Amino acid sequence: MSSPDIGSILESSKELDRVRKEEEDVLSEINKLHKKLQTTPEVVEKPGDNSLARLRLLYTQAKDLSENEASISNLLISQIDALLPTGPQGQTRRRIGKGNEQKRKRVKTESDISRLTPSMRHQLETCASLKGEQVAARVTPRNADKDEWFVVKVIHFDKESKEFEVLDEEPGDDEESSGQRQYKLPMGNIIPFPKINDPSSAPDFPPGKHVLAVYPGTTALYKATVVQGHRRRKTEDYVLEFDDDEEDGSLPQRTVPFHKVVPLPDGHRQ
């Protein structure tokens, strides 16, 4: 094992650290811009505002940095593989007993997570922090004719499989679905609700905006249109009109707490 080879590995490691630091800086800027758009989404409609262009640029930078990180990581793997001993020692490593199998799996999982980009690691930590919280969940498969969203409680989040275990605490309307039900759902099927004790953290959806909201008196979420936002009314409630909620030829306006209203997912089917 020559010192120039080790020197190359150390140089690659320094470059990887630099790229990851840049990724963290870009992620911080993205999060700041997300918060700005969540609190004042109407800003994008003002003449001269470049928030969306700035956000696109940041995402492009994050993508480029992520690809650069992957390239450097692959280079490091190749450099280290070239220095690893072969032959009997390698065979000895493969004869480790079954007693260490769980330990190897745990180490592999931790190693996989450590190789993730800062943005993905942040996303996984955010998902794990939802344990015990109520969230909006799509319980129907992606190829279903329509999407069904319910309020569920997060039991566990598996960082390796990137799946939520959730509990639908309300019994169904029919005999087959009576009682509580558990689901395993991917990250894309979950939308966190705004914090109930912090109205300022909730998006300020403007009138006319389509949202997904809990229908009053139920634990089901449906597409609705904002009539009045909670901040402009200086209350903690939105006034909404739900699709397919027609009464006497018109849509009644219903009041829904701000912490039961979330953005409408792209491609929502109802």
Side-chain angles (χ1 to χ4, degrees), residues 136 205 256:
F205 298 115
V256 180

Side-chain angles (χ1 to χ4, degrees), residues 205-225:
F205 298 115
K209 184 74 172 178
H210 295 310
V211 296
L212 197 65
V214 178
Y215 190 85
T218 75
T219 58
L221 291 92
Y222 299 96
K223 180 181 176 182
T225 303

